[in-house]
Each structure stands twice: as structure tokens, then as C-alpha cells.
Amino acid sequence: MRLTKSTDIALRIAMRLAVLDDASGSGDAPTTREVASAVEVPYTHAAKVVSRLQHLGAVEARRGRGGGLTLTTAGRTGSLGRLVRELEGVGDVVGCEDDPPCPLRGGCRLRGALHAAQEAFFASLDPLSIDDLVETPTGPLLLSLSPRPADS
């Protein structure tokens, strides 16, 4: 199974926010632009993903002076499997109903087998959280990432 680019970006952003929350005693929350730069994704993609994470209750975004991004408790400790399911959306692994539809769709067992495999993939992520993902050695590596210098 392959995750969408948006899900990949969302998980990297959540992981980065988790380690910054742990390391920052100053209360300086990073901006979307800073996080996008540090995890090396385009700002426009990061902004869409942050909006989705905010809608799912995983990230809090505050505007203006003293604003920035923070990972919520649900985003930090909630089920990784649930988060990935929400980010990926519900759908078949294969396009049995595409145009034109697959001629085997009336009696094929592949669709069911692939659905079971997809659910097993998600189920293996269920006991994990973002906090689990940022334990050593990942957390220190994430902290070492610095935003790229602004393009001049």
C-alpha cells in the first residue's frame, strides 16, 4: 500500500510539531512556512495539509502575534491508524467501478482480499501514536532539521 503525498506531509508535520512542543519551553510555536521549510515540502502543500490536520483536531493553528502551530493532545496521543484512515479517506485499493468498469467485478475475489490487506495495514498502525514515532532516534533527528534559508 502506498500513502498519498498529503498523508506523508501530514505525518512529517505532526512529528515535527511533536518534537518542537517537547523542546520548546519558550512557547514559540512555529509557523506553517517554518515547518514546511524544515520538512522540505512546498508551503502551499503544507498549508493545505495543516488545514486538514486542524479540521481533524490534530493541530491548532493561531494567527497573528504569538500565533503558530501546535499539536493537540489528540494529535499527539491519538491512534496513528485512525489519523491515517482519516487522511487517506475511505475507498477501494483498486478501481473496480472505474470507467470502463472491470469485467471481473461481479465474481472477483481480489477486491475483498485487497480490502482486507488494507485494513490489516491500518490495524498495524492503530496502537501507535505520533508520540511513539518521535522517540529516539527520530526525535533528535527532527530537532536537528532547520528551516532552509529563504530564497532570495
Side-chain angles (χ1 to χ4, degrees), residues 77-83 85 119-129 132:
T77 61
S79 165
L80 185 62
R82 183 200 60 78
L83 181 61
R85 279 182 189 90
E119 187 49 41
F121 171 79
F122 290 136
S124 70
L125 298 175
D126 282 339
L128 299 172
S129 68
D132 295 325

Side-chain angles (χ1 to χ4, degrees), residues 25-111:
S26 65
D28 290 337
T31 65
T32 301
R33 192 169 302 280
E34 290 167 344
V35 172
S37 179
V39 297
E40 298 187 7
V41 298
Y43 168 74
T44 54
H45 290 46
K48 289 177 189 174
V49 166
V50 165
S51 176
R52 179 83 171 117
L53 287 170
Q54 189 176 8
H55 176 75
L56 293 173
V59 167
E60 182 180 319
R62 293 176 315 277
R63 292 181 165 208
R65 188 174 189 94
L69 304 175
T70 55
L71 197 60
T72 65
T73 302
R76 176 181 286 283
T77 61
S79 165
L80 185 62
R82 183 200 60 78
L83 181 61
V84 172
R85 279 182 189 90
E86 292 287 335
L87 292 166
E88 287 291 304
V90 178
D92 287 326
V93 176
V94 292
C96 300
E97 304 299 328
D98 289 349
D99 188 23
C102 176
L104 303 176
R105 74 185 180 283
C108 181
R109 297 177 62 190
L110 177 62
R111 184 181 197 175

